[in-house]
Amino acid sequence: MTIRVLIADDHAMVRAGFGALLDAEADIEVVGDAADGEQAVIETRRLRPGIVLMDVRMPVMDGLRAARLLLAPPAGEYRPRVVMLTTFDLDDYVYEALRAGASGFLLKEAPPADLVSAVRVVAAGDALLAPSVTRRLIEEIARSRPALPTVAPRVRSLTERESEVLLHVARGLSNAEIAAALVVAEQTVKTHMGRVLAKLDLRDRAQAIVFAYESGLVTPRSDLAPRSPARSYEPRRPTGWLTS
């Protein structure tokens, strides 16, 4: 199936360059572009692309506001997947965009192959978070979001192993790193993560990281020590937890 993409960026050369690169792929089609956030919303609703590559900083309406409108549409309206484009991985919009439901961030200076890979990764239903962006996200939450006194009730639906996997994801570990930490197959980690997303009604890894902190499951200022979702909510380290 062809992946339909819309590119929103206020620089014409960026739109043209990204468009040419993506159109050269047999499984990707650039169906439209936009020079500002307002136009991006209009064109997305008209063309219904599967993925919108959205520049963070644009005139008329910035990319964050446009992403919020597209990712929280009225009931029954089309909702695409959104990847935010940014020049710096320390952009202040990182947390808010992921919280709004963006599937990840892509640096404009990334190699061309990374752009193509990003489109395919997000189209497949996965989140796109570079380690540097994940670390920034965690630091931002630790700096500005106070820990909750209790764990959100939704967390109690997870098994102990599912909670364990979510905790490792919240630390920014990849599936391969989690598999090594828990001494299980990488496919097993993917299976557990799929169940976590389904039980918590989350769309992807990016939203899972945000949820882990906002639910109180992870305490940012305690070296990411996990809190039991089923018992006394005191910090504890499950078997296989990485301390480094």
Side-chain angles (χ1 to χ4, degrees):
M1 180 181 293
T2 301
I3 304 169
R4 292 164 49 84
V5 178
L6 183 139
I7 302 170
D9 194 289
D10 59 332
H11 292 93
M13 290 183 64
V14 171
R15 298 197 305 273
F18 282 15
L21 181 65
L22 294 174
D23 268 334
E25 301 296 318
D27 59 335
I28 300 174
E29 177 188 5
V30 176
V31 297
D33 61 25
D36 60 63
E38 184 175 79
Q39 186 181 8
V41 173
I42 293 171
E43 289 299 286
T44 296
R45 289 173 174 169
R46 182 176 72 87
L47 298 170
R48 300 171 69 89
I51 295 175
V52 177
L53 299 178
M54 182 83 74
D55 187 20
V56 168
R57 303 183 185 279
M58 290 187 290
V60 184
M61 179 189 294
D62 65 43
L64 179 58
R65 185 180 175 195
R68 283 175 173 155
L69 290 174
L70 292 175
L71 293 169
E77 286 199 16
Y78 180 70
R79 176 178 174 172
R81 292 183 180 274
V82 176
V83 175
M84 306 302 294
L85 301 174
T86 183
T87 305
F88 305 104
D89 63 347
L90 297 184
D91 197 291
D92 291 338
Y93 285 147
V94 168
Y95 177 79
E96 292 303 331
L98 295 179
R99 192 168 184 266
S103 292
F105 269 73
L106 182 67
L107 300 183
K108 289 185 181 181
E109 62 188 32
D114 286 2
L115 173 63
V116 175
S117 176
V119 168
R120 290 176 178 149
V121 165
V122 173
D126 294 325
L128 183 72
L129 284 178
S132 58
V133 173
T134 302
R135 286 194 298 270
R136 166 59 174 163
L137 172 63
I138 292 171
E139 290 167 3
E140 170 64 17
I141 297 172
R143 182 180 66 81
S144 62
R145 265 68 180 181
L148 296 181
T150 60
V151 177
R154 287 170 63 195
V155 178
R156 300 182 188 183
S157 65
L158 303 180
T159 66
E160 184 171 357
R161 180 45 61 95
E162 289 165 355
S163 296
E164 223 171 3
V165 169
L166 177 56
L167 289 164
H168 282 299
V169 168
R171 297 184 71 210
L173 273 65
S174 67
N175 286 339
E177 291 169 331
I178 297 172
L182 301 181
V183 195
V184 297
E186 187 171 348
Q187 183 57 49
T188 300
V189 174
K190 292 179 180 178
T191 299
H192 285 309
M193 194 58 203
R195 290 172 180 164
V196 168
L197 296 178
K199 287 183 177 182
L200 300 179
D201 193 27
L202 302 173
R203 192 163 64 168
D204 54 34
R205 201 180 194 91
Q207 288 191 323
I209 292 175
V210 173
F211 174 85
Y213 287 92
E214 294 200 330
S215 68
L217 181 64
V218 176
T219 307
R221 293 178 178 81
S222 62
D223 191 27
L224 302 186
R227 305 160 85 186
S228 170
R231 298 175 188 173
S232 63
Y233 308 136
E234 291 299 320
R236 68 183 181 90
R237 294 186 184 274
T239 302
W241 183 257
L242 290 180
T243 57
S244 60

